[in-house]
Amino acid sequence: WHYFNYAYNILHHGVYSKDPSILSGIAPVSDGLRTPGYPLFLIPFIAFLPGDTFIEPVLKVQAWMSLLTLVLTYVLARSVLPVALALLATFLTALCPHLISMNHYLLTESLFTFLLVASLVLLTRKGGWPLWFAIGIVVCLAGMVRPIWFYFLPIAIWLIGTRQAVPNRKKRSLAFVLGFFLIMTPWMVRNKISLGIFSDSSSMNSSMAQGIYPQITYDSNPKTFGYPYRFDPRFQEISASK
């Protein structure tokens, strides 16, 4: 419920916080553990729908986003494949259990997947600086939902850049950077003012540390499968490392 708490606290208390203590009459404490993409997505539903009734509309919108993701998957596949193979790729994507099940939860996956595929589609298009300005915006929006995307973004740009020559690179690069920081700057400024830092990397460090365990087990013990970090006595030390 972190994402709900963030959205609720922004809406009703003007504080970006995952802290539910306001229910006990204690003012929430500002933090920056989660990026604001998904909480901002939830705010309109919480603002205009009473009580728990906001959940069903959110899930319906997420289902529609997954449908649009399939459309974008076909567009992306057509940039490198003939029609038959592009349809096959889209069909296999539609059968992905995770793509189906993730829409039933208040989690970032549906929104992030849509923005991720939209980013890749835009990166395969050819156009002038307005396109690259839009690419910067959508790319940053995806990262504001799941910041792990920022680690893979340079790889995606490099792979696509090897396929097509981009004329006027400096102009398009500047447009991309401007679009990117149009979205990123308010978040960084808010963090600096409220927390004294530009970003809180503790969540990212923890996510990276959770991926270091071979076969998703701790010490090859099958009983730890899926949650090896819960059994590792050094996990807090490892995840706190810069």
Side-chain angles (χ1 to χ4, degrees):
W1 285 94
H2 278 185
Y3 301 112
F4 171 80
N5 290 342
Y6 279 122
Y8 185 90
N9 284 330
I10 292 173
L11 184 62
H12 294 286
H13 307 291
V15 178
Y16 189 76
S17 172
K18 68 181 185 301
D19 191 351
S21 61
I22 191 64
L23 299 177
S24 304
I26 304 173
V29 178
S30 181
D31 69 74
L33 182 66
R34 308 285 185 188
T35 47
Y38 194 69
L40 292 176
F41 166 75
L42 292 177
I43 283 179
F45 299 96
I46 298 173
F48 296 107
L49 297 172
D52 293 339
T53 59
F54 80 94
I55 296 178
E56 184 177 349
V58 170
L59 301 185
K60 287 181 178 178
V61 170
Q62 290 184 166
W64 278 104
M65 282 194 296
S66 284
L67 179 61
L68 291 175
T69 299
L70 292 177
V71 175
L72 293 176
T73 299
Y74 174 76
V75 174
L76 180 62
R78 275 293 292 128
S79 67
V80 293
L81 297 171
V83 172
L85 291 179
L87 287 172
L88 177 61
T90 306
F91 175 71
L92 293 175
T93 303
L95 294 181
C96 175
H98 187 63
L99 188 67
I100 298 170
S101 63
M102 68 186 184
N103 299 314
H104 300 285
Y105 300 91
L106 293 183
L107 293 173
T108 60
E109 276 80 352
S110 297
L111 179 60
F112 173 69
T113 303
F114 170 73
L115 291 172
L116 171 65
V117 178
S119 299
L120 296 176
V121 168
L122 289 174
L123 281 167
T124 61
R125 302 296 96 183
K126 294 182 179 180
W129 69 264
L131 170 66
W132 284 90
F133 182 74
I135 291 173
I137 291 175
V138 177
V139 161
C140 191
L141 286 174
M144 294 299 277
V145 176
R146 292 292 292 265
I148 192 68
W149 169 227
F150 292 140
Y151 283 83
F152 295 96
L153 175 60
I155 300 174
I157 293 176
W158 177 79
L159 287 173
I160 293 170
T162 59
R163 291 190 58 250
Q164 59 180 16
V166 180
N168 300 320
R169 288 179 181 270
K170 291 183 178 180
K171 188 174 181 179
R172 285 163 171 74
S173 297
L174 178 60
F176 174 87
V177 170
L178 289 176
F180 185 92
F181 280 100
L182 178 67
I183 304 300
M184 178 63 74
T185 300
W187 173 240
M188 296 174 65
V189 171
R190 175 266 169 193
N191 287 339
K192 188 63 177 177
I193 294 173
S194 300
L195 309 176
I197 55 177
F198 285 112
S199 66
D200 184 346
S201 62
S202 57
S203 179
M204 182 68 70
N205 292 342
S206 178
S207 297
M208 297 291 285
Q210 290 176 25
I212 68 174
Y213 300 95
Q215 300 178 341
I216 324 180
T217 60
Y218 175 67
D219 201 23
S220 300
N221 184 348
K223 293 182 179 180
T224 68
F225 179 75
Y227 304 96
Y229 55 92
R230 295 181 179 177
F231 300 87
D232 186 350
R234 295 187 60 228
F235 178 73
Q236 293 299 326
E237 176 188 349
I238 295 171
S239 62
S241 174
K242 300 298 183 181

